[in-house]
Amino acid sequence: NGSVTLEAGKVASAFSALSGKDVLSVERLSGGSGVPSWRVTTTEGIYAARLYSDSHTTAYGQAKLLSYLAAQLYPVPEVALVDTYQAQHLLALGWVDGLTIAEALRAHPDRAEWFGQAFGEAHARLHTVPVTPEVRAGLREIREPKPSAYTAVLVHLDYHLLNVMTDGGVVTSVIDWENVRLGDARYDVARTLSILCADPSIRVLPGPLRQVVRRFRRGYLDGYEQVAGQDATTGLELFLEWAGHFMLEDLGGRLDSRAARSIERWTRWWQS
């Protein structure tokens, strides 16, 4: 439609002006973020880009965090460009080849537990990345509901099948860091489990595919515990309830009444 074409034109203009590269095409990518992602094809390569209209904090903060994670050898896209153009802030990342975990599962459902283990191990590795004072200064911390004692780590809060890439052997990249914060690692585990259990896109899958997701979920917990230890996933009830409320707020007006009631029932299950 016209608005998409107009926004694509803004992305093309900003990218071309800031990078000096000739833009061949700009295609909007699917996803639920409030700020759309675009596939930008140039004469020299392909990039994933977002154009922010708010303060420069989001674009520049994400670029700084991604560069830090890459330095810690965590698999994230390469920051290709972050700059300001006509009061808007462009963040462009190197294009990540391969399959999303969702695509890998569809292609190889028999390997569901194996993919789940790789997915879980990579998630647990994120929670071992040191939180430096500089990293802490740039991120909000989840404080409620607050466990009695915890170590604040980086929590992605959107770690799911479409945001983790694989080459079929290992996890090659974790994308979409819009929600990243600091907090107890169990917030992040609970958020991922809520998506794998209660998200409307999972609930409507036919029976055989739901079985694949269940096997994947078992693999995810096994893989996570192999890195973080078995105690890392104990006492999740408080966090699962929180994750249900987070999902309801995150999906907001995109939920129909039936889907909202389903998530509400799942959330109440975890209430003490």
Side-chain angles (χ1 to χ4, degrees), residues 16-235:
S16 180
L18 294 173
S19 70
K21 295 178 170 61
D22 293 328
V23 174
L24 301 178
S25 64
V26 177
E27 175 189 356
R28 182 166 180 169
L29 301 173
S30 59
S33 171
V35 179
S37 293
W38 304 86
R39 176 185 170 120
V40 180
T41 303
T42 75
T43 53
E44 300 177 32
I46 303 173
Y47 303 85
R50 277 179 171 163
L51 193 61
Y52 297 88
S53 300
D54 59 3
S55 74
H56 76 283
T57 304
T58 304
Y60 287 82
Q62 280 194 58
K64 185 179 293 186
L65 176 63
L66 290 173
S67 296
Y68 173 72
L69 287 167
Q72 298 296 313
L73 303 182
Y74 193 74
V76 293
E78 178 185 4
V79 177
L81 173 67
V82 59
D83 209 338
T84 300
Y85 178 77
Q86 296 183 350
Q88 292 188 302
H89 315 290
L90 180 76
L91 175 61
L93 307 175
W95 187 257
V96 179
D97 290 321
L99 302 174
T100 65
I101 291 289
E103 291 169 331
L105 275 178
R106 283 196 290 269
H108 304 285
D110 56 310
R111 301 181 67 195
E113 290 193 51
W114 188 93
F115 282 123
Q117 287 180 342
F119 181 85
E121 289 170 5
H123 201 188
R125 282 182 53 210
L126 172 64
H127 300 152
T128 68
V129 172
V131 177
T132 64
E134 185 177 16
V135 168
R136 181 180 293 277
L139 294 173
R140 291 184 296 157
E141 185 171 343
I142 307 172
R143 297 186 180 275
E144 295 294 341
K146 188 173 183 178
S148 57
Y150 72 103
T151 300
V153 300
L154 287 166
V155 288
H156 185 279
L157 295 187
D158 224 4
Y159 191 90
H160 58 66
L161 302 177
L162 297 175
N163 282 342
V164 180
M165 308 291 295
T166 180
D167 61 2
V170 297
V171 167
T172 56
S173 192
V174 179
I175 64 175
D176 200 347
W177 293 81
E178 292 276 308
N179 286 338
V180 64
R181 299 182 196 174
L182 296 173
D184 190 304
R186 289 173 291 181
Y187 286 115
D188 219 10
V189 174
R191 167 70 171 152
T192 294
L193 287 173
S194 73
I195 296 170
L196 293 175
C197 295
D199 188 274
S201 63
I202 298 295
R203 305 282 285 194
V204 299
L205 291 174
L209 288 180
R210 287 202 303 273
Q211 289 294 334
V212 170
V213 174
R214 289 190 186 100
R215 297 201 310 272
F216 176 86
R217 195 165 62 226
R218 287 197 297 269
Y220 163 65
L221 289 171
D222 287 344
Y224 189 90
E225 291 171 353
Q226 284 178 16
V227 174
Q230 291 187 343
D231 291 343
T233 57
T234 60

